[in-house]
Amino acid sequence: MWKTITKFFKDCMTEQDGQSYCPFRIAGCGLSATSIPTFIGLTIWSVMKGNQAWDMKSFAIAFGGMMTGISVLAGTVAFKVKTENAGAPQ
C-alpha cells in the first residue's frame, strides 16, 4: 500500500520521464495536500468550538475558489504535459 501511495505522489510530481521533478507540480501538490484538509478542519473546529455560526454560503464560495485554483493548476499541468517531449532521444 505504501509503495502505491509513494508511486502515485512521484507520478504527480515528476515530468513524463518519471525522473525529473517539476517545481510547478511540487508546489501544486503541496498546496493542495495542505490547504484542503486545513480549510475543512478549521471549519469543523470553528463550528465545534461554537464561537461563530457556520455560514454555508461563505464556505461554498471559499471552497469553490480553492477548487477553481486547483483546477487551473491541473489544466496548466495538462497543457505542459502535451508540450513536453516525452520520447525525445538524449
Side-chain angles (χ1 to χ4, degrees):
M1 170 105 173
W2 185 250
K3 241 182 188 179
T4 306
I5 292 171
T6 55
K7 183 182 179 329
F8 172 75
F9 280 111
K10 184 175 181 181
D11 288 344
C12 286
M13 292 187 285
T14 57
E15 295 186 10
Q16 284 183 341
D17 62 0
Q19 299 299 319
S20 54
Y21 286 92
C22 175
F24 189 65
R25 292 177 186 176
I26 292 171
C29 286
L31 287 173
S32 301
T34 58
S35 65
I36 294 171
T38 301
F39 179 78
I40 293 173
L42 288 176
T43 302
I44 292 170
W45 180 77
S46 166
V47 171
M48 298 300 261
K49 188 152 172 109
N51 60 356
Q52 84 184 52
W54 187 62
D55 184 14
M56 185 181 291
K57 185 177 179 182
S58 298
F59 177 83
I61 290 170
F63 194 72
M66 287 174 50
M67 292 298 106
T68 301
I70 290 171
S71 298
V72 168
L73 176 69
T76 54
V77 167
F79 180 74
K80 185 175 183 270
V81 166
K82 288 181 180 182
T83 60
E84 288 177 351
N85 294 330
Q90 301 283 340

